[in-house]
Amino acid sequence: GAVVSQHPSWVICKSGTSVKIECRSLDFQATTMFWYRQFPKQSLMLMATSNEGSKATYEQGVEKDKFLINHASLTLSTLTVTSAHPEDSSFYICSAVLGQDEIINEQFFGPGTRLTVL
Amino acid sequence: GESVGLHLPTLSVQEGDNSIINCAYSNSASDYFIWYKQESGKGPQFIIDIRSNMDKRQGQRVTVLLNKTVKHLSLQIAATQPGDSAVYFCAERWGGTASKLTFGTGTRLQVTL
């Protein structure tokens, strides 16, 4: 159980286009999902917190108009990279939080989406 | 801005030996810590966690030690196997349920035969 999927697993696009990445919790409902970005040989950097039914909370330095997040249901959050540029090329990873209990609060991670902007 | 590529610290161990991966965390208020394993091109995989009211927790072949005095976390892997080769990240959380995680810089574990 507790499987998170991402689609697509990789995408190549031209500079200036927009790309949508989906994050789904397959067998549980997730009120909260997180979006991370990871550059080569670096750690995961949190971009934003996605809450079902409300606006996402963005980390400092992350442009909310460039990285649009929509958490329309308890099993789906989407990240849209608008007007993508080569510097947006990265590995984007989502996670979904299982449980509302103080003890159980694991984040289950998706497999990641490799974005390459030409 | 342009990001500077970093070289992950690398730990090389022989198959069968024990591995110890260290992590310094940043926030003394953190109440929950997790170790993740990440293989190339994949998302992080949960290994083991520990709450701040504990100083040791054991799993299958893995042990996590927490030293809150010096804000240090370690992951011990017993009888390291080739399949353990990956990048290992520690993560800390403060703020309770569904709070965000802050990841450490990571360590690459290379298991030699």
Side-chain angles (χ1 to χ4, degrees):
Chain A
V3 178
V4 177
S5 69
Q6 284 183 239
H7 178 81
S9 55
W10 60 270
V11 56
I12 301 172
C13 69
K14 293 182 178 180
S15 185
T17 60
S18 294
V19 175
K20 180 185 283 189
I21 302 170
E22 293 184 347
C23 176
R24 293 183 185 271
S25 55
L26 298 186
D27 48 6
F28 66 101
Q29 293 183 329
T31 305
T32 302
M33 293 184 177
F34 296 94
W35 285 97
Y36 296 84
R37 180 168 50 181
Q38 186 178 32
F39 293 107
K41 292 185 171 62
Q42 294 191 27
S43 187
L44 283 76
M45 297 299 295
L46 180 67
M47 299 176 67
T49 302
S50 173
N51 294 299
E52 188 268 338
S54 63
K55 291 183 178 180
T57 303
Y58 290 82
E59 295 299 298
Q60 193 172 10
V62 178
E63 299 174 57
K64 62 180 181 181
D65 295 329
K66 181 168 182 63
F67 298 99
L68 301 178
I69 291 172
N70 184 9
H71 194 156
S73 77
L74 288 172
T75 60
L76 173 65
S77 176
T78 61
L79 169 69
T80 301
V81 183
T82 62
S83 187
H85 291 283
E87 58 265 30
D88 298 322
S89 298
S90 189
F91 194 51
Y92 291 87
I93 306 171
C94 73
S95 70
V97 177
L98 171 65
Q100 298 296 316
D101 192 292
E102 278 291 333
I103 298 175
I104 300 173
N105 183 32
E106 283 189 43
Q107 285 189 33
F108 290 88
F109 285 82
T113 296
R114 173 76 58 195
L115 170 62
T116 302
V117 185
L118 302 177
Chain B
E2 184 178 351
S3 59
V4 178
L6 301 173
H7 290 285
L8 288 169
T10 299
L11 173 66
S12 290
V13 297
Q14 274 200 316
E15 181 181 5
D17 288 350
N18 297 333
S19 304
I20 300 177
I21 300 171
N22 297 303
C23 174
Y25 64 91
S26 60
N27 192 336
S28 56
S30 293
D31 62 357
Y32 181 61
F33 305 87
I34 312 172
W35 278 100
Y36 289 96
K37 172 185 180 182
Q38 186 180 28
E39 297 175 314
S40 181
K42 297 184 179 179
Q45 176 188 353
F46 173 90
I47 301 174
I48 191 168
D49 59 357
I50 187 168
R51 293 177 64 84
S52 60
N53 59 356
M54 304 170 68
D55 53 21
K56 180 180 180 178
R57 189 156 189 240
Q58 288 185 292
Q60 188 177 12
R61 281 202 309 119
V62 294
T63 301
V64 55
L65 299 178
L66 174 63
N67 185 332
K68 294 183 288 293
T69 303
V70 293
K71 293 191 289 187
H72 183 267
L73 200 64
S74 69
L75 176 69
Q76 300 178 2
I77 305 174
T80 312
Q81 303 169 358
D84 295 327
S85 294
V87 177
Y88 290 80
F89 293 98
C90 68
E92 61 183 303
R93 184 199 79 183
W94 62 91
T97 303
S99 297
K100 58 187 180 183
L101 297 174
T102 300
F103 281 78
T105 53
T107 298
R108 179 177 301 282
L109 176 65
Q110 290 182 335
V111 182
T112 57
L113 303 177

Coordinates of all heavy atoms in Angstrom, one line a residue, chain B residues 2 7 11 24 30 32-33 45 47-48 51-52 57 64 81 85-87 96 99 101 109 113:
Chain B
E2 N 22.0 30.6 -11.4 CA 22.7 29.4 -11.8 C 23.0 28.6 -10.6 O 23.6 29.1 -9.6 CB 23.9 29.7 -12.6 CG 24.7 28.5 -13.1 CD 25.9 28.8 -13.9 OE1 26.1 30.0 -14.2 OE2 26.7 28.0 -14.3
H7 N 29.5 18.0 -5.4 CA 29.9 16.6 -5.3 C 29.4 16.0 -4.0 O 29.8 16.5 -2.9 CB 31.4 16.4 -5.5 CG 31.8 16.7 -6.9 ND1 31.6 15.8 -7.9 CD2 32.5 17.8 -7.4 CE1 32.1 16.4 -9.0 NE2 32.7 17.5 -8.7
L11 N 30.9 7.4 0.5 CA 31.4 6.4 1.4 C 31.6 5.1 0.6 O 30.6 4.6 0.1 CB 30.4 6.3 2.6 CG 30.7 5.1 3.6 CD1 32.0 5.5 4.3 CD2 29.6 5.0 4.6
A24 N 24.3 15.9 10.0 CA 24.1 17.0 11.0 C 22.8 17.7 10.6 O 22.6 18.1 9.5 CB 25.2 17.9 11.0
S30 N 13.4 20.3 15.9 CA 12.9 19.1 15.1 C 12.5 18.0 16.0 O 13.2 17.6 17.0 CB 14.0 18.7 14.1 OG 14.2 19.7 13.2
Y32 N 11.2 14.9 14.6 CA 11.0 13.7 13.9 C 12.1 13.6 12.8 O 12.3 14.6 12.1 CB 9.6 13.6 13.3 CG 9.2 12.4 12.5 CD1 9.2 11.1 13.1 CD2 8.8 12.5 11.2 CE1 8.9 10.0 12.4 CE2 8.4 11.4 10.5 CZ 8.5 10.2 11.0 OH 8.1 9.1 10.3
F33 N 12.7 12.5 12.6 CA 13.8 12.4 11.7 C 13.6 11.1 10.9 O 13.2 10.1 11.4 CB 15.2 12.3 12.4 CG 15.4 13.5 13.3 CD1 14.9 13.4 14.6 CD2 16.0 14.6 12.9 CE1 15.1 14.5 15.5 CE2 16.2 15.7 13.7 CZ 15.8 15.6 15.1
Q45 N 13.2 6.6 -1.0 CA 12.5 5.4 -0.4 C 12.8 5.4 1.1 O 13.9 5.5 1.6 CB 13.1 4.1 -1.0 CG 12.6 2.8 -0.4 CD 13.4 1.6 -0.9 OE1 14.2 1.8 -1.8 NE2 13.1 0.5 -0.4
I47 N 13.5 4.5 4.8 CA 14.3 3.4 5.4 C 13.9 3.2 6.9 O 13.5 2.1 7.3 CB 15.8 3.7 5.3 CG1 16.3 3.8 3.9 CG2 16.6 2.5 6.0 CD1 17.7 4.3 3.8
I48 N 14.1 4.2 7.6 CA 13.8 4.2 9.1 C 13.6 5.6 9.6 O 14.1 6.5 9.0 CB 14.9 3.4 9.8 CG1 14.5 3.1 11.2 CG2 16.2 4.3 9.8 CD1 15.5 2.1 11.9
R51 N 11.8 9.3 16.5 CA 11.3 10.5 17.1 C 12.3 11.1 18.0 O 13.2 10.4 18.5 CB 10.0 10.2 17.8 CG 8.9 9.8 16.9 CD 7.6 9.4 17.6 NE 7.0 10.6 18.4 CZ 6.2 11.5 17.8 NH1 5.9 11.4 16.5 NH2 5.7 12.4 18.6
S52 N 12.1 12.4 18.4 CA 13.1 13.1 19.1 C 13.2 12.6 20.6 O 14.2 12.9 21.3 CB 12.9 14.6 19.1 OG 11.6 14.9 19.6
R57 N 17.0 3.5 17.3 CA 15.9 2.7 16.8 C 16.5 1.7 15.8 O 17.4 2.1 15.0 CB 14.9 3.5 16.2 CG 13.6 2.8 15.8 CD 12.4 3.7 15.7 NE 11.2 2.9 15.6 CZ 10.4 3.0 14.5 NH1 10.6 3.8 13.5 NH2 9.3 2.2 14.5
V64 N 19.3 3.6 13.5 CA 19.4 5.0 13.5 C 19.8 5.5 14.9 O 19.1 5.0 15.9 CB 18.2 5.7 12.9 CG1 16.9 5.3 13.7 CG2 18.4 7.2 13.0
Q81 N 25.3 -4.7 1.5 CA 25.2 -5.5 0.2 C 25.3 -4.6 -1.0 O 25.0 -3.4 -0.9 CB 23.9 -6.2 0.3 CG 23.7 -7.1 1.5 CD 22.2 -7.6 1.6 OE1 21.4 -7.2 0.8 NE2 22.0 -8.4 2.6
S85 N 23.9 0.2 -2.5 CA 24.5 1.3 -3.2 C 23.4 2.3 -3.6 O 22.5 1.9 -4.3 CB 25.3 0.8 -4.4 OG 26.4 0.0 -4.0
A86 N 23.6 3.5 -3.2 CA 22.6 4.5 -3.4 C 23.0 5.8 -2.8 O 24.1 5.9 -2.1 CB 21.2 4.1 -2.9
V87 N 22.2 6.9 -2.9 CA 22.4 8.1 -2.1 C 21.5 8.1 -0.9 O 20.3 7.8 -1.1 CB 22.2 9.3 -3.0 CG1 22.4 10.6 -2.1 CG2 23.1 9.4 -4.2
G96 N 4.9 19.1 13.7 CA 3.8 18.2 13.9 C 3.4 17.6 12.6 O 4.0 17.7 11.5
S99 N 3.7 18.3 8.5 CA 4.7 19.4 8.3 C 5.7 19.0 7.3 O 6.0 17.8 7.0 CB 5.4 19.7 9.7 OG 4.4 20.1 10.6
L101 N 9.3 18.5 5.4 CA 10.6 17.9 5.7 C 11.7 18.8 5.2 O 11.6 19.4 4.1 CB 10.8 16.5 5.2 CG 9.8 15.5 5.7 CD1 10.0 14.2 4.9 CD2 10.0 15.2 7.1
L109 N 26.6 6.1 -1.1 CA 27.3 4.8 -0.6 C 27.6 4.0 -1.8 O 26.7 3.6 -2.6 CB 26.3 4.1 0.4 CG 26.7 2.8 0.9 CD1 28.0 2.9 1.8 CD2 25.6 2.1 1.7
L113 N 32.8 -5.0 -4.3 CA 32.8 -6.4 -4.1 C 34.1 -7.0 -3.6 O 35.2 -6.3 -3.7 CB 32.5 -7.1 -5.4 CG 31.1 -6.7 -6.1 CD1 30.9 -7.3 -7.4 CD2 30.0 -7.0 -5.1

